[in-house]
């Protein structure tokens, strides 16, 4: 094990580690079966997955203390990309070093990726069958409610003062009415955070503290960067040079950019991706994009596996294996960078936690992400509820104009039911998707009589 790997003796004096004296750290084989099981059970999006891992790692297995788990979660929330998968990778790294991180991160993703590949193939072949379309009426309604719930949860934790509310509002206006690219919004929020921190807390005691970086060298960090950049980009560069004008090259470049700028978790990724793959690249229709999110919500694994679905449909016109190759490229460009971020940043976790300017800048990014997710919510809402939505230019503004005469009352009813299930009854996402999708089938059957 590496020096960063906690031992039972090291953690036994931590009172927050439940029953640690009765536990031993796992072997690599034990870890394999553990992460494989987690990979198949990780339904419900990042919030449910983080709760599941907390229950298993802290309460059941005792492999991490409460404090260690929360530090790990905070670290992963600072990274671009899917926080739940990165949390699994970090925990694997703490237990068994790089081998453990690779094992945990891969097994967290692969079961869901295989299921999504199968469903994408079926969807591309049978997506226009009436009974399938009826089933997806409910899925689409549920997706709206799920995204709104994510918006509600994130905004409660993030928008703690007027300054963050203002950033969120400007972010929403910029992307919804001016179609500003998501990377510009992220960079602007980062700069604002650094400026705000410099002006408001430059003399704070925390600013003067210097964390000690034990066992970390610049050489090892540079080696990590070079190794993982090579793993990430060499296969993609081969595709780009061999097939420069193909959808495969475009997929590699697009999803690699996505992996760098999408701070704020899975819904931030969706916010950046959804409109671009529909309006800019034309890989999917708006309805297919919404369907893909519904499929990702109903399967295990990271919600960001929706990128695999997009990659498959973007390349599947020439057959299943072309689609599978597009899905593989999307997966590679989405998840390989996660290993780079975790393995590079993990040794610095304590130091990062004591840097107020970094925390301030990333808090501003998270506030901006709230506005971006609000944009995603409205975009989904309009395209699900109305049969025709047209993007119009009004002066400097770009406005989505729905045809109100073509409202889908079935979706509206199912959406209201979804709000009751998720916000009032507080049932799980799986219950929401099951109930609403089955009722969508029933409504379609009754109206067809």
């Amino acid at each position: 094990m590496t020096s960063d790997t906690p031992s039972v003796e090291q953690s036994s004096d931590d009172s927050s580690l439940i029953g640690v004296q009765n536990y031993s750290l796992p072997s690599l084989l034990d870890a394999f079966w553990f992460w494989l099981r987690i990979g198949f059970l990780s339904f419900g999006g990042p919030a449910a997955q983080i709760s599941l891992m907390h229950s298993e790692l802290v309460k059941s297995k005792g492999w991490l203390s409460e404090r260690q788990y929360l530090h790990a979660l905070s670290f992963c929330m600072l990274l671009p990309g899917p926080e739940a998968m990165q949390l699994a990778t970090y925990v694997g790294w703490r237990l068994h070093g790089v081998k453990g991180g690779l094992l945990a991160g891969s097994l967290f993703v692969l079961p869901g990726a295989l299921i999504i590949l199968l469903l994408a193939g079926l969807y591309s072949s049978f997506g226009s069958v009436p009974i399938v379309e009826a089933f997806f009426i409910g899925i689409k309604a549920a997706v709206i409610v799920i995204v709104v719930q994510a918006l509600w949860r994130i905004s409660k934790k993030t928008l703690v003062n007027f300054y963050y509310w203002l950033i969120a509002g400007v972010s929403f206006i910029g992307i919804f009415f001016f179609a500003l690219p998501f990377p510009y919004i992220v960079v602007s929020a980062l700069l604002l955070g650094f400026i705000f921190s410099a002006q408001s807390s430059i003399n704070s005691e925390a600013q003067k503290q210097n964390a000690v970086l034990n066992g970390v060298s610049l050489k090892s960090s540079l080696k990590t960067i070079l190794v993982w950049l090579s793993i990430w980009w060499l296969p993609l560069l081969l595709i780009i040079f061999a097939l420069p004008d193909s959808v495969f090259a475009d997929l590699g470049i697009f999803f690699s950019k996505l992996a760098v700028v999408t701070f704020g978790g899975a819904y931030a990724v969706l916010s950046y991706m959804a409109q671009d793959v529909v309006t800019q690249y034309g890989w999917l229709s708006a309805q297919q994009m919404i369907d893909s999110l519904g499929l990702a919500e109903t399967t295990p694994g990271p919600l960001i596996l929706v990128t695999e679905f997009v990659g498959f449909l973007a390349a599947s016109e020439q057959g299943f294996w072309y689609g599978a190759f597009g899905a593989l490229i999307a997966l590679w460009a989405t998840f390989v960078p996660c290993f780079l971020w975790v393995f590079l940043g993990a040794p610095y976790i304590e130091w990062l936690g004591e840097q107020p300017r970094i925390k301030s800048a990333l808090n501003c990014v998270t506030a901006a992400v709230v506005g971006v997710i609000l944009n995603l919510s409205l975009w989904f809402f309009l395209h699900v509820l109305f049969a025709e939505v047209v993007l119009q230019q009004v002066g400097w503004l770009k406005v989505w104009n729905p045809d109100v005469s073509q409202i889908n009352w079935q979706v509206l009813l199912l959406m209201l039911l979804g709000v009751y299930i998720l916000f009032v009854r507080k049932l799980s996402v799986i219950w929401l998707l099951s109930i609403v999708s089955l009722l969508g089938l029933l409504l379609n059957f009754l109206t067809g009589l």
Side-chain angles (χ1 to χ4, degrees), residues 139-151:
I139 294 290
K140 292 168 185 175
V143 164
I144 302 299
V145 183
I146 291 168
V147 175
V148 169
Q149 184 193 50
L151 175 66

Side-chain angles (χ1 to χ4, degrees), residues 68 84 91 108 152 157 159 174 196 200 255 270 311 358 408 416:
Q68 289 168 338
V91 174
F108 192 82
W152 173 251
K157 294 180 180 179
L159 306 183
F196 178 75
S200 64
F255 285 113
L270 292 170
I358 292 176
N408 190 325
L416 293 174

